[in-house]
Structures are given as structure tokens and as C-alpha cells.
Amino acid sequence: MRVVSGRPAGRRYPAGRPVSGHVVVCGLNDLGFRIAEQLHAAAVPVVVIEGRDVGSLRRRLERWGVPVLSDSVHTGDALRQASITGAVALIACHDIDLDNLETALLATEIAPELRLVVRVTNAQLGDQLGAALPAARVLNLAEKAGPSFVEACISSDVRHAFRLGPEIFTVVDVPVRAAGAFRQVFGNLTPVALRRPGARRVEVCPGRDTFVAPGDRIALLGRLADFADNGVRVVDSGDVNALANLSVHHGGPPPGRGSRGSRGSPARRRRPHAWLRDLAVTIAAEFDRPFRLALGAVLTIMTIGTLVLSLTYADNDPTAPPDFSPLDAFYLTVTTMATVGYGDFNFGAAGGWLQAFGVALILVGALSIAVVYAFITNVIISRRLERTIGRGRATTARDHVIVCGLGSVGLATVEGLLTAGRDVVIIERNENNRFLSVVRDLKVPVVFGDATVRATLMEAGLTRAAALAALTSDDVANLEAVLSAREAFNDHFTARRRGGRWRRRRHAPPTAVPVADGSGSSVSAGTGTGTGTGTGNDDEAGLRVVLRIFDTTLGDEAERRFAIHTARSASALATPWFVGAALDYEVVSTFYVDREPFLVARITVTAGGGLDGPTLQELSTGTRMLAVATSSAHDGSTDRAPNYRPTRHTRLRPGDELLVVGPTAQIIDTVSRNQAPHVRS
């Protein structure tokens, strides 16, 4: 977002409140503030209504000249004072679904034609509200923010992917191998962000004539076929479909994961015999040394009894058959130890010493078998209890993602990771969490405890994990969990290496520095470049850490003092969707490259607007055009033939559909320019 003199680059409204063409935001929480901030930065008039005492946020908005009404929206007076009959949209973004529902119903009664954007956390309530108010756009913050947290947890040169009809567009981060103008090196791929060596910020949407050189890194956007055509190799191309599925998956069991667990997930297909390893590890973990001693005693007694009886029973018992075999001796030993005989062989007619041996075999054998039965029963009951509370395979997970906090954002992230074929272990403090039934159905193991405690992290398999995401609603708890995980992870591998037991594994251990990724792209932990753009070798970079944070000031301090690059805010991730719905343009996808947020939007060219007539070269909007869909005929046909390789000479006409990528402020500015003159005025 553009910033001028410490505040968003917007305009200060004249005295009083705007009476038309503005957006009304109901609810001044973290999401509401970010929506108002983004609208103000894009010079869109906004009025905020909040009845609670939120002094700090109110003062910040008032310094920018944004009107804030201190009144409850449930009476209707505040809505009328905000002139909703002249507003272009109303956004209800309270933290409580019921408040948003009441606001939406009251606003519909006062201004039936008003465009409504309503935040709803409960999916069923959202469906009902959408059916009752067809004109309302119902959005779930967790569903919009979840995919970005998932992408942050995955180590890949594929930073983002989204579907558009039959096509999949991919954002890939690659190093520059040759010097020259961008179009000479990368052809007709779309440049999204360019990082120069030593630069603190990326160059956003650089031009195709921009000079690039070895040492630079660049994020490119295109289809996989486009990358192949231009000689750019996508290392982790297998992640494209998995990440693209995130944009179409909203709730319910992820594809390929039914009631029988993760049999169909990509991760399991890569390891067809993983269940054998899991079984062996589970047995080794559950049956400890006392059990193994008891089982060894049973096998030893059984072996001795079989050997003695096979050598002596026929000679010392006149009732023994002449063909008494070692198998018969084994049978007699087992029935004696299990105390289920004697229907065929017995010791009644045997010599005295053999009868004494039989008595000893009964006593010692029955006792040892009883001990083994007790151990097995204990394990069966324990495993059933663990399945009941969802812990499942926590002790056997490898290269998994640990998610700390099972809130709405945490659940959306878990479902996204499962959709992407990753194994997940959850750490949750509340044993009565309302989402536990959901993760039980997904067969996801849950470890109950405090994520800031090392023992809890170890129980979740920290040393075998690929990533850790701290997603609770507490900033301090998230930061503490990240720092505890870093310390425990490094200490474990330092101790192993000092003891001579360290072996090279997928993640480089003790020198790794976890980097939490927030408003930037996912950043893997490690001592590599530390740029956060990725090198394609993140597998060697250590434990990846993703941090959810609300307070941007705390995020800045964490970045500076704890070597954590940035922290992601769920509200910041979801804000573009609310703003797009309010301004009536379609948000296709959002993603981050390093610390820069990007938005993919679909815009229809309006007759007489600023996009009607010029070529792409003449527009200079600070965005990049991915595709231009024009009518296939000039007779009013609605069939569109998308051009996925528009050039600088492509001229826009009314009715053309544009697929645009760029920073949010530039996208909103492009939408504003697209309006007809009388609308803009």
C-alpha cells in the first residue's frame, strides 16, 4: 500500500460526511480498520460506524479525515446518519455473526438496492443469509485468508496458483540466469516482482523492457505451458494443482480424504508403503521395554517347554503316542501355559519330575501371558481413546506441518494443507474446542497442550516437522510459540550432532533461523539468503515458520528483534475480497511475493470509461494484464475468446474482460478509471 507521511495515500474528506458515492463500514475491529484504510488509500470515500470504545483505531482514522460515527447500527439511526441511501455499498464486518446479520437485514429494509458485503464465520448461516438476501455478498474471513497461510507453509518455487476456467495460472519464483531486457530473457511471461541483490523492497510489476541480470530473482506469472514455451523450468510443478485446488475448496472434507483418512492424498501416493512404516513405528512407540521383556519371557518359556517336552515326554509318560512330534510338544506347551488343557495330552501319568515341570510351566507361563495381555489391553484402550480425541498418528508423522491453534483460520489452514497433500498435526489448548469434531472426521491428530511448552512441541513431532504455523488469536502466544519452536528445534539437532548421532535429513538443523511470514510470501527458516523470495532449495533451509499476528507494530518489533521477517494478518489477507465486493469488481485471487501483496481481478471495460480505447502501452496503470477476453463476433455475441498473450499494442474496447494483476491500490485505481465519467463525478 502506498504510504505518504506515515498515513495511507488517500484524500481528506470535506467537512461533514459524504452523502453519496461512499462506502459504509460497520464494525471498527482489525478487519474494519484495514478495509477503511485500504478504501481511503484508494481515494474512495468511506464512513465507519462503531458503537464500542475503540479509541486508538478511531483516532487513527480521524487523523486521516475518515468520519467515524459512535452509535449502534441496530437502531437504524446510525445507518441513516451515514447516508446509506446514497452509498455504493455497505460492509458489515463485526466479529459476531449475529451483529452482521442484524446490520444486513436493517440495511436492506432502509435501502433495498444497496450493495451489501457481509462477514459470516458460520458457513451454514452464510448459506442461509445468501439465500435470503440474493443481493448480498457473504464472505468468510478464514476461507479467504487460509490459502495464503497454506502457501506459506509449503516449501516450493511455486508461490501461488489459481484456476480460471480450464486454465491454471501459476506464480513461480526463479533466479535470473542471463543478462538483458526482461522480454529477451523471459519472453512473454508476466513479471510480477523483481528483487535486486541487497534491495530491501521488490520492484512491483516491472516493465518488460526492465534490465535483469544474474543475481536478481523474479516472480513470474503464467500458465505452465507458457513457462515451458519460454524455457523456464518449474522445479516443483507437482505443487501447481495442489495449490490451485485451494482456490476452489471451501469447507468439507478435502478431495481424496474420505472417512478412511489420507489414502487418496498426493502425499500418500508418494509413499505407498508408508502405512508399514507407521505400523512399525507405532508398535515400537507403544510397546515399551517392560512389554518387550514380558513378551521375551513368554517366548523363552515357550521355547524351553517345547524343547523339554519334545525330548522327554514320550519316554516318561506311558500314555504318550509313539509318534509324539515337536509340533505336539509345542501344542502341549501352549495349552499348558494358557491353561486351556487337557483334552488330549496331559501330565497325569507322567513321571514325578515331569509333573513338577508341568506345574511350573502352568504357573510361570500363565503369569507371563497375563502380563502380556495386560499390556496389549492397555495399548488397545489407549489407542481408542487417542482416536476419540483425534490424536491419531501424532507419533508417526514425518515432514508434516504443525498447526498451533484450532480456530476458524487454523481449521481453514488445516483443510487447505490436507487438500495440498500435506500431513498435519494440531496443537490445541482447549479440549472442548468446537472444531474438534471436524478434525476427527478428517483423521488429523491433535495434541492437547500449550504450544509454547517444549514438551508439547516435541509430542507433536517438532523435530520431524517440515513447518510450524502459529495461528491462535493471541499475538503474544503466537510469537512465543515461534520462539519456543526455534529454540527446541535447534537444541535438538545441536545435541544430536554433538553426540555423533546426527544424520543428514530433509531439513538442515542447528543453524536454521525460523522466519515467520506475514504480509509477505512464505519464508523458510535457515541461514540462506534470508530474502524471503525463495531459492528453490528451501528443503535444506530448516524448519519453516508461519506467524499470524494482528498488531502490525508488534510484527515490526518481532521482525527487528527476533530475526523474523514479517507476520501475516488474516484480516489483511481477507481485506481485498471485501473491498472488491464493495466496489463491484471480481477478485480472482490474492497472493504475496516477499512482503508485497498482490491482487488478481477481473474487470469488464465500461463504455466511455478510462479503459475504453487506449492500448495497454498507453494505459500505464501500474498493473499487468494477464488476459484480454474480447467478443468473438461484432454482432453482440457473448462468446469470448481470451487472449492470454496480450501485447503493448492490444487495444481495449467496451465489453472486453480484463484479467489484471497488481498491488491492491493500483487495482482499485484501475477500477475507478474504468468507470464512466458521470459515475466518477
Side-chain angles (χ1 to χ4, degrees):
M1 182 173 292
R2 296 172 294 183
V3 177
V4 178
S5 301
R7 66 176 179 86
R11 68 183 179 192
R12 183 173 292 272
Y13 308 118
R17 294 179 293 276
V19 295
S20 65
H22 57 289
V23 176
V24 178
V25 178
C26 298
L28 188 51
N29 48 21
D30 187 57
L31 176 61
F33 174 79
R34 293 179 184 275
I35 292 172
E37 181 184 36
Q38 196 167 101
L39 290 169
H40 176 66
V44 177
V46 58
V47 176
V48 178
I49 305 176
E50 178 54 68
R52 297 178 302 127
D53 182 15
V54 283
S56 60
L57 296 179
R58 181 190 306 275
R59 287 190 294 271
R60 292 173 65 180
L61 290 179
E62 289 176 345
R63 282 198 299 268
W64 301 338
V66 176
V68 181
L69 302 181
S70 301
D71 200 352
S72 172
V73 298
H74 304 318
T75 62
D77 292 339
L79 296 179
R80 293 185 179 92
Q81 291 177 22
S83 304
I84 67 168
T85 54
V88 296
L90 181 144
I91 303 176
C93 56
H94 298 285
D95 291 320
I96 302 175
D97 286 352
L98 182 59
D99 291 341
N100 293 324
L101 176 61
E102 292 182 9
T103 300
L105 295 177
L106 187 57
T108 301
E109 182 179 347
I110 298 174
E113 303 301 323
L114 180 66
R115 185 183 306 130
L116 292 178
V117 183
V118 187
R119 172 190 178 183
V120 176
T121 302
N122 185 286
Q124 289 74 23
L125 177 60
D127 294 339
Q128 294 295 326
L129 181 59
L133 302 177
R137 178 75 184 276
V138 180
L139 297 177
N140 187 320
L141 181 146
E143 286 185 356
K144 300 307 180 185
S148 291
F149 284 110
V150 173
E151 291 168 353
C153 294
I154 296 176
S155 173
S156 175
D157 63 340
V158 178
R159 296 304 180 188
H160 180 68
F162 62 92
R163 295 183 185 275
L164 191 65
E167 301 290 345
I168 297 180
F169 286 84
T170 305
V171 179
V172 179
D173 185 80
V174 298
V176 178
R177 304 294 187 187
F182 173 87
R183 67 175 70 253
Q184 296 174 341
V185 180
F186 295 104
N188 54 18
L189 291 170
T190 301
V192 174
L194 173 65
R195 164 173 274 106
R196 307 287 188 180
R200 297 186 61 183
R201 302 294 295 269
V202 298
E203 297 179 25
V204 176
C205 296
R208 296 184 184 275
D209 294 321
T210 301
F211 181 82
V212 295
D216 296 341
R217 296 197 63 85
I218 192 163
L220 306 170
L221 195 153
R223 300 167 298 172
L224 282 181
D226 297 331
F227 286 99
D229 292 343
N230 290 278
V232 177
R233 178 172 174 261
V234 181
V235 178
D236 298 310
S237 58
D239 290 328
V240 172
N241 281 321
L243 294 181
N245 288 336
L246 299 179
S247 61
V248 297
H249 167 61
H250 298 294
R257 294 185 73 98
S259 60
R260 297 191 63 81
S262 58
R263 177 179 298 178
S265 70
R268 291 299 180 187
R269 287 196 294 268
R270 290 194 298 268
R271 297 178 294 168
H273 303 296
W275 67 273
L276 292 175
R277 184 208 64 195
D278 290 349
L279 178 62
V281 173
T282 300
I283 293 176
E286 294 294 348
F287 298 119
D288 52 9
R289 188 170 182 271
F291 170 80
R292 291 194 292 270
L293 291 176
L295 183 61
V298 170
L299 295 177
T300 300
I301 295 171
M302 196 175 296
T303 301
I304 293 174
T306 301
L307 181 62
V308 170
L309 292 178
S310 63
L311 296 176
T312 63
Y313 185 75
D315 297 332
N316 292 273
D317 191 330
T319 62
D323 57 347
F324 189 82
S325 66
L327 181 60
D328 294 328
F330 176 73
Y331 169 75
L332 178 57
T333 301
V334 172
T335 57
T336 301
M337 294 177 64
T339 65
V340 295
Y342 297 92
D344 31 30
F345 306 117
N346 59 70
F347 295 97
W353 74 270
L354 191 57
Q355 288 183 352
F357 177 79
V359 172
L361 187 62
I362 293 173
L363 295 176
V364 177
L367 177 62
S368 61
I369 288 180
V371 172
V372 171
Y373 284 165
F375 277 113
I376 294 176
T377 302
N378 178 67
V379 168
I380 291 174
I381 294 175
S382 298
R383 296 302 291 176
R384 286 185 178 274
L385 289 175
E386 285 182 350
R387 291 192 185 98
T388 301
I389 62 177
R391 297 179 65 173
R393 300 179 304 277
T395 59
T396 63
R398 295 291 187 280
D399 294 330
H400 57 289
V401 179
I402 300 175
V403 175
C404 306
L406 190 57
S408 57
V409 174
L411 177 62
T413 303
V414 168
E415 291 182 334
L417 287 168
L418 297 179
T419 300
R422 266 57 178 186
D423 291 331
V424 181
V425 172
I426 299 171
I427 297 179
E428 171 56 38
R429 180 180 295 182
N430 181 13
E431 296 187 11
N432 298 314
N433 186 288
R434 63 193 177 108
F435 294 122
L436 282 177
S437 60
V438 179
V439 297
R440 286 171 188 161
D441 291 340
L442 297 176
K443 308 300 182 184
V444 177
V446 180
V447 175
F448 289 106
D450 191 339
T452 65
V453 177
R454 178 174 298 197
T456 305
L457 293 169
M458 290 301 184
E459 187 177 356
L462 177 68
T463 58
R464 305 183 302 273
L468 180 142
L471 304 179
T472 73
S473 57
D474 187 336
D475 283 356
V476 177
N478 289 338
L479 181 59
E480 190 176 352
V482 166
L483 298 180
S484 298
R486 171 168 61 187
E487 182 180 11
F489 187 85
N490 292 347
D491 287 351
H492 173 80
F493 284 103
T494 299
R496 289 190 64 183
R497 189 164 64 173
R498 287 176 179 173
R501 293 181 291 113
W502 180 83
R503 294 181 301 170
R504 184 177 179 85
R505 67 189 293 268
R506 186 180 177 216
H507 307 284
T511 57
V513 179
V515 179
D517 196 33
S519 57
S521 69
S522 63
V523 183
S524 59
T527 57
T529 62
T531 63
T533 58
T535 63
N537 296 319
D538 288 342
D539 285 348
E540 302 298 332
L543 180 71
R544 299 172 63 82
V545 178
V546 178
L547 176 66
R548 179 188 180 187
I549 204 160
F550 293 83
D551 189 340
T552 54
T553 302
L554 179 59
D556 294 339
E557 287 298 311
E559 173 185 344
R560 184 169 63 91
R561 296 184 180 276
F562 302 112
I564 296 175
H565 274 71
T566 49
R568 284 191 173 177
S569 164
S571 299
L573 292 166
T575 294
W577 297 87
F578 286 84
V579 173
L583 299 184
D584 198 26
Y585 64 87
E586 181 183 355
V587 176
V588 177
S589 187
T590 58
F591 63 94
Y592 282 81
V593 176
D594 193 20
R595 301 171 188 173
E596 294 294 335
F598 288 86
L599 177 65
V600 182
R602 182 154 43 192
I603 303 171
T604 301
V605 176
T606 302
L611 305 185
D612 180 9
T615 64
L616 297 186
Q617 185 178 21
E618 295 168 346
L619 275 178
S620 184
T621 60
T623 62
R624 305 297 306 183
M625 296 291 176
L626 302 180
V628 177
T630 58
S631 298
S632 58
H634 300 288
D635 56 0
S637 172
T638 58
D639 296 333
R640 297 183 180 276
N643 175 15
Y644 292 112
R645 294 182 178 179
T647 67
R648 68 179 80 179
H649 305 296
T650 300
R651 188 172 299 278
L652 304 181
R653 298 179 300 174
D656 289 352
E657 279 192 357
L658 312 180
L659 189 65
V660 188
V661 61
T664 303
Q666 277 77 2
I667 294 290
I668 297 177
D669 181 66
T670 302
V671 172
S672 178
R673 292 175 59 179
N674 183 50
Q675 294 176 342
H678 70 279
V679 176
R680 292 199 299 270
S681 62

